[in-house]
Amino acid sequence: MVDMPTSRLARSGKLGKFAAQQAVRNARLRFDRFANGGEADRQAADAALLRGVDELVGILGSMKGAAMKVGQMLSVIDIEMIPRSHRERFRTRFAALRDRAPSVSFERMRPVLEEDLGRPLGDAFAEFDTEPVAAASIGQVYRARLPDGRAVAVKVQYAGIARAVRADLKNLALLLKMSKPVFPGFSADAFMDELRLHLEEELDYLHEAATQQELSRFYAGHPAIMVPDTVSELCGPRVLVTEYVDGARFDDVCSQPAAVRDRVGEIVFRFYIGALFRDLRFNGDPHPGNVLLTPDGRVAFLDFGLFKRMRRDAVELEREGLRAAMEGRAEALRDVMCRSGALRAGSVVTAAELLEYVYDASPWTFDDERLTMTTEIAGGAFMVVADPRSRDFDRMRREDLPPEHFFSRRADFYTFGMLGQLGATANWHRIAREWVYGDPPATELGALDAAWRARHHLGP
């Protein structure tokens, strides 16, 4: 159990202490480099990196809020600057923030729960397991049973988390400075901008409950996708009660045979990316902790705190840009990006450079062949955008991607980060053409989805 700090001073103090320790460690490394050099230097640097990662995971886990969200994001992307021999440990340690984060004692959570319920715990639930089944950045999840016998998941916000999140948002500059020694050359600006824009939305559980209920009813009867329904009468600003879903966690799915991983990967791709173009809305928080493989073979999607609805004209611009890129029409692509506001007035980025940038950032969309996603492929594409050393970063760093388009790019990167961890194989280009061009279904899952949409009179 952890005691979560909520004041700006306490939270910045934790990060400041870590930054100071890193400065001392770096000074020691410089001395060792001078005294020893060679292999000893490399081993010392690797050891320092791993110590830094371990300490940072511990700090972010105890802080929760925006600070912990950064660690969860890092668990999805394979960072190229991390030595290859240590990448799996790096990913596993940060994944702990997603699946095995330090929990807060129920004594601290119970007042929040009962205050939102407006009644004692025993009056609302027939059974309530006080041991959390999940602990995340904003709240913890418990298993319970209603008086009518239904098993439910109860997500409760940490006491004081809203204050902690706002403190984190004010400490962003320190967080960025602190990250440099651990991830040399890594630009976390996109992460920080995302947190500024959207983390506050995650604090409103009533809004999330309404979104999840809408999606649960929308996907009712879908052959591959399910969203657990909410129990509206028990939801409040800081408490979210939903159907409980039994299923295999993402890490367990990663060890399944290739056919299972490929199927789950395609469902994840269709849910997180296809929904933008087909339904003008999508879940903006694709990460492994929000995915379960149910016993009947469907994939259950959880957590709708970060959910984006797009204007039709904005989606049509995205579709138009994808078509231009797929067809190699560089000037048309540049025209779309100018009209969307992604290129500032007077930008010197050429049409050919833009086309190269789009190919580099999303190669799986344009290659018309079966491709097995790996963490290296997904991480490499992400670093094209995020690494200040890349040519694409240098070309695009002065441009201004509109928030709604940044949100969809973020979903794209993290979705393929997940597919890389699964090692899923598909012709992603052919699947994407279903919603970019309206092509016939490219797979069996696509045919099942098309039939379901036809029965419900939904667009292709």
Side-chain angles (χ1 to χ4, degrees), residues 217-282:
R217 292 172 182 177
F218 179 81
Y219 283 107
H222 194 281
I225 294 168
M226 75 91 64
V227 175
D229 201 359
T230 59
V231 184
S232 302
E233 63 271 20
L234 294 179
C235 294
R238 297 176 296 169
V239 173
L240 176 65
V241 182
T242 70
E243 296 175 310
Y244 189 87
V245 179
D246 276 315
R249 291 183 177 273
F250 185 85
D251 285 348
D252 296 324
V253 176
C254 288
S255 63
Q256 294 290 314
V260 175
R261 292 184 282 110
D262 293 347
R263 185 176 183 279
V264 170
E266 183 179 336
I267 295 170
V268 165
F269 180 48
R270 290 179 177 277
F271 179 80
Y272 283 121
I273 307 301
L276 163 65
F277 296 94
R278 288 177 156 164
D279 307 316
L280 309 182
R281 58 189 182 186
F282 63 98

Side-chain angles (χ1 to χ4, degrees), residues 409-442:
R409 292 290 70 73
R410 187 252 196 200
D412 198 24
F413 283 128
Y414 287 107
T415 297
F416 274 89
M418 291 172 62
L419 299 183
Q421 291 181 32
L422 277 172
T425 302
N427 187 321
W428 311 105
H429 170 81
R430 286 288 161 183
I431 296 171
R433 289 182 66 94
E434 294 177 23
W435 50 77
V436 175
Y437 287 97
D439 281 6

Side-chain angles (χ1 to χ4, degrees), residues 9 13 159 192 227 247 290 321 342 366 399:
L9 182 62
M192 299 301 103
V227 175
N290 294 340
F366 305 104
E399 307 309 326

